[in-house]
Amino acid sequence: MVRSIKNPKKAKRKNKGSKSGGDGASSSSVPEVPAKVWQPGVDKLEEGEELQCDVSAYDSLHAFNIGWPCLSFDVVRDTLGLVRTEFPHTMYCVAGTQAEKAAWNYIGIFKVSNISGKRRALVPKADADTDMESENSDSDEDDEDEEEVGSKTPVLQLRKVAHEGGVNRIRAMTQNPHICASWGDNGHVQVWDFSSHLNALAESENDVNRGAPIVSNHAPLAKFVHKDEGYAIDWNPLVPGRLVSGDCKNFIHLWEPSDSTWKIDPKPFVGHTASVEDLQWSPTEPFVFASCSVDKTIAIWDTRLGKSPATSIKAHNADVNVISWNRLASCMLASGSDDGAISIFDLRLLKEGDSVVAHFEYHKHPITSIEWSPHEASTLAACSADNQLTVWDLSLERDEEEEAEFKAKIREQVNAPSDLPPQLLFVHQGQKDLKELHWHNQIPGMIVSTAADGFNILMPSNIETPLPENAPPANDA
């Protein structure tokens, strides 16, 4: 398991352009040799070489930070529209810091507005006479097919709430997103009401904060002290206020809402033999949740059946760090382990003994976060300690004829690796010590990630998200 950010230092406010996932390259000079795809762990940089970001691979790419590095964050559901596709975008988040000193930590509630990006033509223009086209005409057509929308600089507005110690994980409630739960490295799980801060951000103009935001003291709505610190926590998507939290002593506690507070069952769920690393409620069963552990297993629990798991399986050959329950295909559960492996389970096959329907060993370092797309049932994203964020589409299969046809059409040959899994859709790099990612539930294709050197907002250009029929307009809540 890989969790903490070692020796965190205050994040630099300037972008480091030499990183492959930054806002741009540090040099505008044209390379003398053809560009090739960089393979982490395989390729090595020679003297004088540097990585450059291919910004054409993104519809949107921005970097920012809120002061100290954040191990965990969550995207807060807003009232700006259920399905938003037009730039510029606005988003709200909560994040917990990992400061150099315990007393310096806080929960950041922030708004990022004016997120710009490219509007691409729905149907590329047909080539009238490919033999007569020049490189300049190709460039002109590319410019016409893509339109930059909005300013290139997003606006960050931040409010801070004091937190005792570092924040291991933070989650916003689905039904009431102003209610958030935080896991502290001191063993405290706390529930907060951030409605006043979110309302203030929503009502404020899009002006950059003048001076450093004041860290305010804010009393939590509820607090529970585990026997040890932990990282596992999840809100129930079907029952507002229902929560589970798990710790490094392998205990899981159930929280039930009661009036304006919570009743926490002092008797824990016990089934794992080592630290509980992640928890996920079922998207369809209000009493069922899943857990994963350093003991290499994944367990399924039913709160109506006592304090032992309904079933448990050995999921990996190493610690199981993270899990994600597919909200669009509830039979699918994804997991990531300490050895870099990603597995996809079909829960309908658990009784048959072999429920693994996909397994990837692309990453060679621990998986630190994994999450299914909220808009496409076959798509998921993961990030790893190898400083890569990857997007996968399980519906893809290798088509050799199509590959050959594509290679024949492209004029500029790129030295792309031939041994990549066909399901690997996108690789994002440039962040150091990636810790957590989330898809934006209301902006199709947008991913937000946190790392030791700050946050990235990215929208890969090759993710095509089918919009639901009769999608509401952008101004609907």
Side-chain angles (χ1 to χ4, degrees):
M1 53 184 173
V2 174
R3 301 160 171 157
S4 63
I5 298 174
K6 296 181 179 179
N7 301 320
K9 294 183 179 180
K10 199 160 187 178
K12 304 284 186 184
R13 291 201 176 272
K14 66 177 183 178
N15 293 326
K16 295 184 178 179
S18 62
K19 294 185 177 183
S20 61
D23 283 340
S26 61
S27 172
S28 60
S29 61
V30 178
E32 296 180 358
V33 295
K36 70 175 184 177
V37 177
W38 169 259
Q39 300 179 81
V42 178
D43 297 329
K44 294 182 179 179
L45 283 179
E46 301 295 336
E47 186 177 352
E49 288 186 329
E50 66 177 15
L51 297 180
Q52 292 186 329
C53 173
D54 182 4
V55 294
S56 67
Y58 299 85
D59 281 349
S60 183
L61 178 60
H62 300 283
F64 67 96
N65 68 77
I66 66 167
W68 293 105
C70 297
L71 190 65
S72 180
F73 76 102
D74 204 5
V75 178
V76 176
R77 183 173 57 82
D78 56 51
T79 58
L80 300 177
L82 294 178
V83 181
R84 310 203 291 273
T85 59
E86 294 296 321
F87 291 106
H89 287 299
T90 297
M91 72 173 189
Y92 294 82
C93 293
V94 290
T97 64
Q98 294 280 311
E100 189 174 334
K101 294 184 179 180
W104 294 351
N105 282 291
Y106 53 83
I107 293 174
I109 304 101
F110 59 91
K111 169 186 176 183
V112 184
S113 54
N114 198 38
I115 302 171
S116 62
K118 298 173 185 174
R119 180 189 292 125
R120 297 177 182 267
L122 294 178
V123 181
K125 295 180 180 180
D127 294 338
D129 187 354
T130 57
D131 293 336
M132 298 299 293
E133 290 176 353
S134 65
E135 292 184 2
N136 290 334
S137 65
D138 288 342
S139 174
D140 293 341
E141 287 193 4
D142 289 342
D143 292 340
E144 292 175 1
D145 288 343
E146 299 176 6
E147 178 187 353
E148 190 76 24
V149 183
S151 168
K152 293 184 178 180
T153 305
V155 177
L156 171 67
Q157 294 172 276
L158 172 66
R159 297 175 72 90
K160 300 178 180 179
V161 171
H163 187 275
E164 182 183 349
V167 180
N168 289 346
R169 195 158 289 175
I170 188 166
R171 294 290 183 264
M173 189 194 301
T174 304
Q175 302 88 347
N176 300 301
H178 59 281
I179 304 296
C180 300
S182 65
W183 235 127
D185 60 12
N186 54 7
H188 297 177
V189 176
Q190 299 175 88
V191 176
W192 310 81
D193 183 351
F194 292 142
S195 57
S196 61
H197 299 282
L198 289 167
N199 289 337
L201 289 172
E203 294 169 2
S204 66
E205 296 296 328
N206 293 338
D207 293 329
V208 181
N209 293 319
R210 289 175 174 33
I214 298 174
V215 180
S216 62
N217 291 315
H218 192 112
L221 296 176
K223 181 177 180 178
F224 179 71
V225 182
H226 279 253
K227 294 184 180 297
D228 195 359
E229 70 172 317
Y231 297 81
I233 194 167
D234 195 37
W235 290 104
N236 192 304
L238 302 175
V239 181
R242 181 173 290 169
L243 180 75
V244 279
S245 57
D247 59 36
C248 295
K249 291 287 187 184
N250 51 288
F251 294 145
I252 301 171
H253 289 272
L254 176 65
W255 300 50
E256 289 285 5
S258 177
D259 296 327
S260 60
T261 186
W262 278 260
K263 289 183 178 179
I264 301 99
D265 191 340
K267 186 177 181 182
F269 295 88
V270 180
H272 290 293
T273 58
S275 172
V276 177
E277 298 291 276
D278 203 2
L279 289 162
Q280 284 273 284
W281 283 101
S282 164
T284 57
E285 300 290 339
F287 300 101
V288 176
F289 67 89
S291 62
C292 67
S293 169
V294 169
D295 65 13
K296 307 175 185 178
T297 68
I298 292 175
I300 307 295
W301 311 73
D302 189 325
T303 60
R304 299 165 296 184
L305 302 179
K307 301 297 183 178
S308 298
T311 186
S312 180
I313 59 170
K314 181 185 176 184
H316 287 270
N317 294 321
D319 306 357
V320 189
N321 295 333
V322 286
I323 53 176
S324 178
W325 207 318
N326 195 321
R327 305 298 181 192
L328 301 178
S330 61
C331 61
M332 307 301 286
L333 186 76
S335 63
S337 74
D338 223 36
D339 59 7
I342 295 173
S343 288
I344 312 298
F345 301 87
D346 187 334
L347 301 179
R348 297 170 297 183
L349 305 177
L350 283 178
K351 294 182 179 180
E352 300 178 13
D354 186 9
S355 56
V356 179
V357 293
H359 183 78
F360 305 107
E361 296 182 355
Y362 168 81
H363 292 284
K364 305 305 179 185
H365 293 78
I367 303 298
T368 56
S369 184
I370 194 166
E371 187 170 282
W372 290 100
S373 165
H375 298 103
E376 181 56 57
S378 64
T379 302
L380 61 87
C383 62
S384 167
D386 63 10
N387 300 328
Q388 295 184 80
L389 185 157
T390 53
V391 181
W392 303 78
D393 186 343
L394 303 186
S395 67
L396 296 179
E397 295 182 358
R398 188 176 298 279
D399 188 323
E400 295 182 358
E401 291 184 3
E402 188 176 281
E403 287 183 4
E405 183 180 350
F406 174 75
K407 290 179 179 179
K409 283 184 177 180
I410 59 175
R411 297 193 179 97
E412 186 175 322
Q413 293 294 327
V414 177
N415 183 22
S418 59
D419 58 346
L420 295 178
Q423 293 81 15
L424 181 57
L425 192 65
F426 194 87
V427 177
H428 170 71
Q429 299 177 71
Q431 290 181 275
K432 181 181 179 182
D433 204 5
L434 274 158
K435 289 302 178 186
E436 192 168 89
L437 67 86
H438 293 296
W439 297 84
H440 198 297
N441 281 308
Q442 296 165 268
I443 306 177
M446 176 179 284
I447 300 172
V448 188
S449 57
T450 184
D453 52 0
F455 290 85
N456 272 190
I457 301 171
L458 58 138
M459 297 181 71
S461 61
N462 65 338
I463 295 182
E464 297 182 3
T465 302
L467 299 179
E469 294 183 5
N470 302 320
N475 61 351
D476 283 359

